[in-house]
């Protein structure tokens, strides 16, 4: 179904058509990244692979019984092909969303994300207490580890989704309250003022943010807590630098209500010593990640130019893992290190260029925004910043659902509304 949806988006909106306008450098960088990912699948002669990736043939010799003369740069062509298709679909989502938002729909998407976050968080909290490790009380995850949380096998990945969705919801809450919070010239009757204050949409957004924060804490994901802390810090920076688009302090009363509700719910449902104990074991988690990173560094060093192939970290670690023989390292627990291992300079450079170009566009759009959309863009940007910070400790953005939400938020930040 997601593949069909991406094909329909591509066919309907044709994001590669610019109508005579110059192609954006960001789009060029994304296209170069996609082409180089596909290039990792092309079989190359030994003379080329011996120079570009000297460690490729020895690695493939340990992975396969029979190694052909011509080899692709990827140590697992099937995984790289799947990753290429997923990344192509995500690029279509980003480009199509940016084009769609030119004509509106940002607030509709914000309401959808808020409602989805509220429902998923409630289901995840109930499942965590009564599911006994089963997803939706029915299915047992194939991989061992922590209990699943909601629709995610790994609770850290659920935390990534919430880290992006919560600031986005609060940004829309600030914009909505500012737009509907201006005081009329004539005094209103008390009943009318009560009706205006208890805004149904603001109540829904507040409840959604509150429940998502509770669910995030309940995951006991330290990387998620760190990402949310970074998101909150970015929100404070935006606020102190002049929150345009918010006509009154009414928005901050709603945000304070969401924070107070989350604290009360956490106090009633979780013991403080559980959180303290989880934080106290941070040094153990850091030691485990250092072990994984130590085994990943030789892979980065051997495949520094071409990488092992997009999506091939788990396969390559069958050769490079030295520590913890009873455990299989299926991810680097650092998205940036994993990109360096899988893509090397070949994929890392266009990604870094695209990142810099995106930040430039985001900065220009935020500086030029003087309406209530400022806070929606700021909320989306805070969510992306929190996910980027969490990626230092996890790889939550490698999950297609999280990556798709990140693409939509990225499009919201830099979209240019159509001028009428």
């Amino acid at each position: 179904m997601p593949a069909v949806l991406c094909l329909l988006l591509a066919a309907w909106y044709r994001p590669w058509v610019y109508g005579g306008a110059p192609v954006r450098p960001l789009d060029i960088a994304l296209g170069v990244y996609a082409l180089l990912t596909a290039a990792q699948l092309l079989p190359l002669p030994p003379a080329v692979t011996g120079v570009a990736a000297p460690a490729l043939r020895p690695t493939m010799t340990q992975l396969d019984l029979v190694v052909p003369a011509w080899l692709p740069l990827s140590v697992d062509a099937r995984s790289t092909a799947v990753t290429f298709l997923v990344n192509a679909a995500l690029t279509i989502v980003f480009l199509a969303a940016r084009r769609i938002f030119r004509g509106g729909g940002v607030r509709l998407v914000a309401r959808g994300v808020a409602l989805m976050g509220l429902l998923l968080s409630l289901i995840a909290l109930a499942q965590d207490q009564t599911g006994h490790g089963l997803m939706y009380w029915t299915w047992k995850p194939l991989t061992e580890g922590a209990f699943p949380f909601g629709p995610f096998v790994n609770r850290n990945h659920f935390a990534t989704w919430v880290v992006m969705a919560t600031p986005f919801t609060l940004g829309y809450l600030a914009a909505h309250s500012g737009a509907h919070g201006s005081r009329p010239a004539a005094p209103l009757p008390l009943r009318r003022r009560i009706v205006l204050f208890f805004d149904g949409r603001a109540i829904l957004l507040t409840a959604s943010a509150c429940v998502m924060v509770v669910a995030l804490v309940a995951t006991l994901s330290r990387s998620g807590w760190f990402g949310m802390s970074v998101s909150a810090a970015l929100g404070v920076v935006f606020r102190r630098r002049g929150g345009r688009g918010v006509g009154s302090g009414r928005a901050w009363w709603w945000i304070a209500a969401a924070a107070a509700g989350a604290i009360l719910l956490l106090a009633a449902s979780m013991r403080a010593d559980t959180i303290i104990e989880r934080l106290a074991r941070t040094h153990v988690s850091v030691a485990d990640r250092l072990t994984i990173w130590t085994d990943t560094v030789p892979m980065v060093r051997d495949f520094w130019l071409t990488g092992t192939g997009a999506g091939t970290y788990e396969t390559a670690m069958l050769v490079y893992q030295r520590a913890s023989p009873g455990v299989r390292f299926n991810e680097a627990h650092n998205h940036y290190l994993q990109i360096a291992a899988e893509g090397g300079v070949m994929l890392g450079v266009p990604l870094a260029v695209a990142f810099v170009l995106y930040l430039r566009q985001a900065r220009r759009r935020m500086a030029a925004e003087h309406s209530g959309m400022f806070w929606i863009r700021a909320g989306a940007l805070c969510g992306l910043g929190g996910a980027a910070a969490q990626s230092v400790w996890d790889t939550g953005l490698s999950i297609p659902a999280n990556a798709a939400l990140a693409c939509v938020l990225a499009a919201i930040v830099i979209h240019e509304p159509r001028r009428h």
Side-chain angles (χ1 to χ4, degrees), residues 35 50 55 94 162 209 233 237 250 283 325 329 352 402:
L35 290 176
F94 168 70
V162 171
V237 170
R250 185 165 171 258
H283 67 282
F329 297 161
N402 291 338

Side-chain angles (χ1 to χ4, degrees), residues 121-163:
S121 296
L122 290 173
I123 293 173
L125 289 169
Q127 174 186 293
D128 185 55
Q129 294 298 317
T130 61
H132 305 292
L134 300 178
M135 294 186 67
Y136 297 121
W137 300 272
T138 304
W139 297 284
K140 183 177 179 59
L142 297 178
T143 57
E144 298 180 357
F147 285 166
F149 208 85
F152 292 87
V153 175
N154 189 322
R155 59 183 60 214
N156 292 320
H157 299 160
F158 176 86
T160 303
W161 196 92
V162 171
V163 165

Side-chain angles (χ1 to χ4, degrees), residues 60-324:
M60 292 300 296
T61 302
Q62 298 184 60
L63 292 173
D64 292 334
L65 295 176
V66 179
V67 180
W70 285 47
L71 288 173
L73 294 174
S74 171
V75 300
D76 186 349
R78 182 178 181 276
S79 296
T80 300
V82 172
T83 303
F84 167 73
L85 293 177
V86 171
N87 289 342
L90 292 172
T91 303
I92 291 174
V93 169
F94 168 70
L95 297 177
R98 189 180 62 185
R99 179 161 295 184
I100 291 170
F101 293 147
R102 288 189 62 199
V106 174
R107 289 171 173 82
L108 180 62
V109 170
R111 291 195 292 272
V113 170
L115 183 58
M116 190 183 305
L118 175 62
L119 295 177
L120 288 181
S121 296
L122 290 173
I123 293 173
L125 289 169
Q127 174 186 293
D128 185 55
Q129 294 298 317
T130 61
H132 305 292
L134 300 178
M135 294 186 67
Y136 297 121
W137 300 272
T138 304
W139 297 284
K140 183 177 179 59
L142 297 178
T143 57
E144 298 180 357
F147 285 166
F149 208 85
F152 292 87
V153 175
N154 189 322
R155 59 183 60 214
N156 292 320
H157 299 160
F158 176 86
T160 303
W161 196 92
V162 171
V163 165
M164 291 187 289
T166 304
F168 182 47
T169 300
L170 292 175
Y172 177 48
L173 174 61
H176 172 77
S177 300
H180 296 271
S182 58
R183 294 184 178 181
L188 296 176
L190 178 61
R191 181 178 178 181
R192 179 61 177 167
R193 281 184 288 173
I194 293 176
V195 170
L196 288 176
F197 180 80
F198 289 100
D199 181 1
R201 186 168 297 172
I203 292 175
L204 172 63
L205 297 172
T206 302
S208 176
C210 173
V211 175
M212 282 193 287
V213 170
V214 172
L216 174 63
V217 177
T219 62
L220 298 179
S221 170
R222 288 166 297 214
S223 63
W225 298 347
F226 174 67
M228 186 61 78
S229 300
V230 172
S231 295
L234 290 174
V236 172
V237 170
F238 280 120
R239 172 58 177 162
R240 295 192 62 179
R241 291 192 175 183
R244 289 158 290 183
V246 179
S248 68
R250 185 165 171 258
W252 308 112
W253 283 107
W254 283 112
I255 295 176
I263 293 173
L264 290 176
L265 288 175
L266 289 171
S269 61
M270 292 190 66
R271 296 173 55 183
D273 55 353
T274 302
I275 300 176
I276 295 174
E277 181 182 358
R278 182 67 173 170
L279 291 174
R281 292 180 57 83
T282 300
H283 67 282
V284 178
S285 178
V286 171
D288 292 340
R289 279 163 169 74
L290 287 175
T291 300
I292 298 173
W293 298 344
T294 300
D295 281 358
T296 305
V297 168
M299 188 197 310
V300 177
R301 184 172 58 246
D302 290 347
F303 291 88
W304 66 272
L305 180 60
T306 63
T308 60
T312 63
Y313 180 86
E314 184 175 5
T315 301
M317 284 305 287
L318 295 174
V319 176
Y320 282 89
Q321 181 176 340
R322 295 292 181 267
S324 305

